[in-house]
Amino acid sequence: MKPFTYERAASPAEAAAAAARMPGAKFIAGGTNLLDLMKLQIEAPAHLIDVNGLALDRIEPTPEGGLRVGALVRNTDLAADERIRRDYGVLSRALLAGASGQLRNKATTAGNLLQRTRCPYFYDTDQPCNKRQPGSGCAAIGGFSRQLAVIGHSEACIATHPSDMAVAMRALDAAVETVKPDGTARSIPIAEFHRLPGDTPQIETVLEQGELITAVVLPPPSGGRHFYRKVRDRASYAFALVSVAAVVQRDGTGRVALGGVAHKPWRVEAAEAELPRGASPAMQAILADARPTRENAFKVTLAERALSAVLAEARG
Amino acid sequence: MSKVSFSVNGEVRDLELDTRTTLLDALREHLHLTGTKKGCDHGQCGACTVIVDGRRINACLSLAVMHEGDAITTVEGLGSPENLHPMQAAFIKHDGFQCGYCTPGQICSSVAVLEEIKAGIPSHVTADLTAASQVTPEEIRERMSGNICRCGAYSNILDAITEVAERQA
Ligand SMILES: Cc1cc2nc3c(=O)[nH]c(=O)nc-3n(C[C@H](O)[C@H](O)[C@H](O)COP(=O)(O)OP(=O)(O)OC[C@H]3O[C@@H](n4cnc5c(N)ncnc54)[C@H](O)[C@@H]3O)c2cc1C
Ligand code: SF4
Ligand code: FES
Ligand code: FES
């Protein structure tokens, strides 16, 4: 690790202001992604701002009938919350499908949203990678691409976003609340929060320098049956090859978001009109623009089969 | 350098550390509590599992300076050779290890797993999210998946945990 200075932030606004003021500053929450990357010197912040003491660890009802999930709520606590289990089962399921018990005890809501890709070339500092070192090229294109994106990618980067939680939040139409260094707050729909790689894959979200996530807001419960189906190389403790987050209503309508296929949770609202006709037409519409590599073309078939299993369970 | 104070196995420890020091290195290198092991140093194996304020975490992915005021329990704090924790005794009885390298992490993790089930925290294999969690082999396997055993002692580890769970029930 490169040396860094360390401070505990006193309030969200002060944390954001400090992050904008100190060059090379980063927030640290659970530390489970940031420290991993700092050990590999893929991240090398000069200053760490510890946000754990900011009292952002509560889940509270909103006036609209939804829930406001604090940025520092641990993944374990979010998954185990009674209201989440009852009304937002897809979110509990997605969280429980991710990482391990130890990691979920530390991992936070904000940190999970901002975790970085698991592209093997991003991790290998001897390889060119536009995300790690802008302009250096992309070793994954033409390389080992089995785990990488099939849709929404660019000539610069074909990485996927690894979060399970974010896929469920996309299906639920959550919103990310933040405070900026100048003290102003804003709410960002999850659909707009993560970016596609384009020619700047190093910029992964619409957050500004120093902008702090304070909460994720879930809209009022939508009812329906909730599913998170994650397909991976082993039964537990592995990232998704493909995952399907779905909320399916009695009449066969519903919402579907996919993980493991793109640089952000992938959802095509217009395609959901096809859901009552079955998994095949729906997935054809969701992945209509897919451009897989030879190694990851299986993901397109796998996504359709995973959705098909979800819809069968929803009918059963 | 930065100062931090936390308790380890009931004893308050004051340290002055390079900010880069992980909780794992603080325990092993500075406090010479070498029961907790370093396997991967990247959150992938669970050998470094310790219990902080009642919750199991990977000590390798946590900075020591972020534990001000915390209560940390390592395998040394669970029991001693003369006075074993029931989980330590069960691991010995069921041969829940071969080389033993992953064992302190397995034991800390399994003690916390039984508490998590008691506290009603669901898992990936819990069929009904709104019902109470059960102690089944499937549940224990899933909840212990963050602890890798290179020697493959898994079935004996499962037997040890199951015995302790049954005795507690
Ligand atoms: C072995 C292993 C397996 C894993 N498997 C999975 C898996 O299967 N599925 C899955 O989804 N995840 C998995 N993960 C990733 C894990 O979910 C993330 O590491 C975790 O969610 C990150 O949360 P954190 O609080 O520890 O973030 P940190 O590491 O503290 O921070 C991550 C990033 O978020 C920023 N940040 C943190 N809080 C804020 C805030 N409030 N505002 C703005 N920025 C902030 C930090 O600056 C940093 O850039 C795995 C991780 C490991 C190590
Ligand atoms: S796919 Fe993206 S993250 Fe992977 S090597 Fe290419 S630029 Fe880097
Ligand atoms: S040493 Fe911490 S998980 Fe492997
Ligand atoms: S006993 Fe050798 S690694 Fe588990």
Side-chain angles (χ1 to χ4, degrees):
Chain A
M1 268 190 250
K2 297 275 192 205
F4 55 84
T5 49
Y6 169 82
E7 74 172 280
R8 295 186 188 96
S11 75
E14 279 172 46
R21 192 169 56 234
M22 303 281 292
K26 268 199 161 272
F27 302 120
I28 184 161
T32 61
N33 190 231
L34 186 56
L35 290 171
D36 191 3
L37 295 169
M38 284 168 65
K39 289 181 183 192
L40 299 164
Q41 299 191 11
I42 294 167
E43 301 261 20
H47 184 68
L48 284 185
I49 301 167
D50 182 348
V51 296
N52 284 280
L54 296 185
L56 297 173
D57 55 356
R58 284 188 285 272
I59 306 174
E60 290 163 334
T62 62
E64 295 75 33
L67 290 175
R68 173 174 283 104
V69 179
L72 270 293
V73 173
R74 307 288 155 175
N75 287 179
T76 298
D77 298 321
L78 185 54
D81 185 271
E82 241 173 77
R83 296 158 291 183
I84 301 289
R85 283 154 76 172
R86 187 186 63 220
D87 297 331
Y88 306 92
V90 63
L91 181 54
S92 262
R93 289 283 180 211
L95 284 159
L96 295 170
S100 65
Q102 290 95 314
L103 288 161
R104 291 192 297 271
N105 279 343
K106 276 259 115 188
T108 63
T109 308
N112 192 319
L113 278 179
L114 293 175
Q115 64 174 297
R116 306 203 66 194
T117 186
R118 295 280 160 172
C119 170
Y121 301 99
F122 174 74
Y123 271 80
D124 182 348
T125 49
D126 291 333
Q127 299 284 341
C129 168
N130 287 324
K131 191 185 275 299
R132 179 166 31 75
Q133 206 179 343
S136 63
C138 170
I141 296 175
F144 181 72
S145 59
R146 179 172 178 272
Q147 303 164 46
L148 302 177
V150 299
I151 197 162
H153 49 287
S154 68
E155 296 299 306
C157 177
I158 61 170
T160 57
H161 194 270
S163 169
D164 292 297
M165 180 195 80
V167 183
M169 287 180 173
R170 181 70 181 89
L172 292 169
D173 278 325
V176 182
E177 292 190 340
T178 69
V179 57
K180 290 193 204 184
D182 66 4
T184 56
R186 64 167 170 160
S187 170
I188 308 163
I190 185 98
E192 292 158 28
F193 182 77
H194 293 104
R195 296 173 77 250
L196 289 176
D199 51 14
T200 52
Q202 74 280 12
I203 306 172
E204 292 164 351
T205 69
V206 298
L207 291 181
E208 294 169 17
Q209 171 59 34
E211 190 168 358
L212 177 84
I213 299 178
T214 51
V216 170
V217 173
L218 303 175
S222 63
R225 293 188 64 188
H226 290 225
F227 301 92
Y228 189 76
R229 196 173 182 95
K230 178 173 178 179
V231 189
R232 43 187 161 175
D233 283 329
R234 53 176 190 238
S236 186
Y237 203 21
F239 288 93
L241 289 166
V242 163
S243 69
V244 174
V247 179
V248 186
Q249 304 294 340
R250 270 181 188 288
D251 61 4
T253 61
R255 307 145 168 226
V256 176
L258 302 183
V261 297
H263 203 253
K264 57 190 279 185
W266 193 256
R267 181 169 171 204
V268 181
E269 275 87 344
E272 290 165 5
E274 301 289 333
L275 273 178
R277 278 192 280 280
S280 178
M283 198 53 75
Q284 267 167 34
I286 295 169
L287 292 179
D289 301 323
R291 287 175 294 122
T293 66
R294 203 158 42 89
E295 283 187 4
N296 68 22
F298 74 94
K299 285 193 178 187
V300 175
T301 320
L302 199 55
E304 184 188 319
R305 289 183 185 161
L307 180 61
S308 172
V310 163
L311 295 181
E313 208 180 326
R315 279 189 303 270
Chain B
M1 301 293 275
S2 201
K3 284 189 177 156
V4 65
S5 171
F6 45 69
S7 88
V8 183
N9 302 328
E11 196 184 328
V12 176
R13 311 299 294 251
D14 301 304
L15 293 167
E16 193 167 350
L17 299 167
D18 187 312
T19 49
R20 290 173 287 185
T21 314
T22 60
L23 177 59
L24 177 59
D25 287 342
L27 292 170
R28 288 182 54 86
E29 311 291 332
H30 296 266
L31 299 174
H32 307 294
L33 288 164
T34 52
T36 310
K37 297 292 185 270
K38 183 183 285 189
C40 63
D41 215 18
H42 287 279
Q44 298 170 355
C45 74
C48 65
T49 304
V50 297
I51 301 172
V52 177
D53 292 340
R55 299 179 145 219
R56 56 180 172 145
I57 67 162
N58 305 95
C60 70
L61 285 189
S62 200
L63 293 174
V65 292
M66 292 176 72
H67 288 283
E68 181 64 38
D70 286 355
I72 297 154
T73 304
T74 68
V75 72
E76 292 95 339
L78 287 177
S80 60
E82 306 75 44
N83 185 17
L84 292 171
H85 184 280
M87 193 65 78
Q88 291 170 320
F91 267 65
I92 295 170
K93 176 175 162 197
H94 290 278
D95 241 348
F97 45 80
Q98 283 178 37
C99 76
Y101 197 81
C102 71
T103 313
Q106 301 278 2
I107 289 176
C108 285
S109 205
S110 49
V111 168
V113 159
L114 296 185
E115 291 302 317
E116 287 165 15
I117 295 176
K118 260 190 238 158
I121 295 169
S123 88
H124 175 60
V125 299
T126 307
D128 180 356
L129 278 181
T130 55
S133 314
Q134 309 289 321
V135 187
T136 63
E138 198 195 7
E139 283 281 359
I140 295 172
R141 278 203 190 92
E142 161 60 25
R143 290 170 192 265
M144 291 296 293
S145 72
N147 291 84
I148 311 291
C149 175
R150 179 66 181 79
C151 300
Y154 297 112
S155 61
N156 293 355
I157 292 171
L158 179 62
D159 290 346
I161 301 173
T162 304
E163 182 184 300
V164 176
E166 280 168 358
R167 242 186 292 139
Q168 284 180 358

